[in-house]
Amino acid sequence: MKVWKPALVLMMAGLSGQVMAANCSVEISSNDAMQFDKTSISVPQSCKQFTVKLKHSGKMAKNIMGHNWVLTKTADMQGVASDGIAAGLDKSYLKAGDARVIAHTKVIGGGESDTISFAPSKLKAGEAYSFFCSFPGHSGIMKGTVQVTK
Ligand code: CO
């Protein structure tokens, strides 16, 4: 017992260090100028859950300058955005039950925020993922890439 106990303590210290090293959350801000403050984020697969907090630092209402944060494969982004237009604000401009949507916040207006979590295990290393705002007309500018890391 006495021989290997220090090794166990060292191992546990190493493990907790590992957990702290992985950044399992990100805060993204949006504004009245139709912009996100980030164009790329990293999602470590070592995180059990990854949390995204979306803020809207502007003053405009969500029916005028609303923003959400939607995660899809990059190849699905365009289709999800155009299919979402008809869904309307109440459905966060996303088609009901759209299986291409991996995670999303609701649409928020100035001064609001929304936080969501998803399991990075849903993402495949080597696949191209993007995030964007599905408010009609926003995804051309409000988008960024997602790097799946270890
Ligand atoms: Co938007």
Side-chain angles (χ1 to χ4, degrees):
M1 245 352 221
K2 208 171 182 184
V3 176
W4 59 269
K5 197 176 174 187
L8 184 68
V9 170
L10 270 177
M11 196 180 85
M12 287 173 70
L15 277 174
S16 66
Q18 196 85 33
V19 170
M20 286 174 72
N23 196 354
C24 299
S25 67
V26 69
E27 193 172 291
I28 298 175
S29 193
S30 57
N31 61 25
D32 284 342
M34 210 197 288
Q35 292 164 329
F36 286 130
D37 68 345
K38 292 183 174 61
T39 54
S40 102
I41 64 165
S42 290
V43 177
Q45 287 198 307
S46 57
C47 300
K48 275 199 168 66
Q49 291 286 311
F50 188 82
T51 300
V52 177
K53 181 177 186 182
L54 175 67
K55 292 171 68 177
H56 191 318
S57 63
K59 290 185 162 53
M60 293 169 81
K62 63 182 173 185
N63 61 324
I64 308 287
M65 185 53 72
H67 304 310
N68 62 358
W69 185 93
V70 183
L71 171 63
T72 66
K73 286 181 185 173
T74 301
D76 291 336
M77 178 167 64
Q78 208 66 50
V80 169
S82 39
D83 290 351
I85 295 171
L89 179 58
D90 290 349
K91 300 278 189 269
S92 291
Y93 293 107
L94 292 170
K95 190 174 77 176
D98 194 329
R100 296 169 296 181
V101 175
I102 299 163
H104 75 92
T105 70
K106 64 183 182 185
V107 173
I108 59 171
E112 298 178 333
S113 67
D114 191 32
T115 302
I116 53 115
S117 294
F118 64 94
S121 59
K122 289 181 174 180
L123 307 181
K124 285 179 228 155
E127 176 73 62
Y129 296 94
S130 289
F131 66 87
F132 61 97
C133 172
S134 69
F135 191 98
H138 287 197
S139 66
I141 295 166
M142 297 189 77
K143 63 182 175 185
T145 55
V146 177
Q147 274 74 48
V148 182
T149 60
K150 291 184 178 177

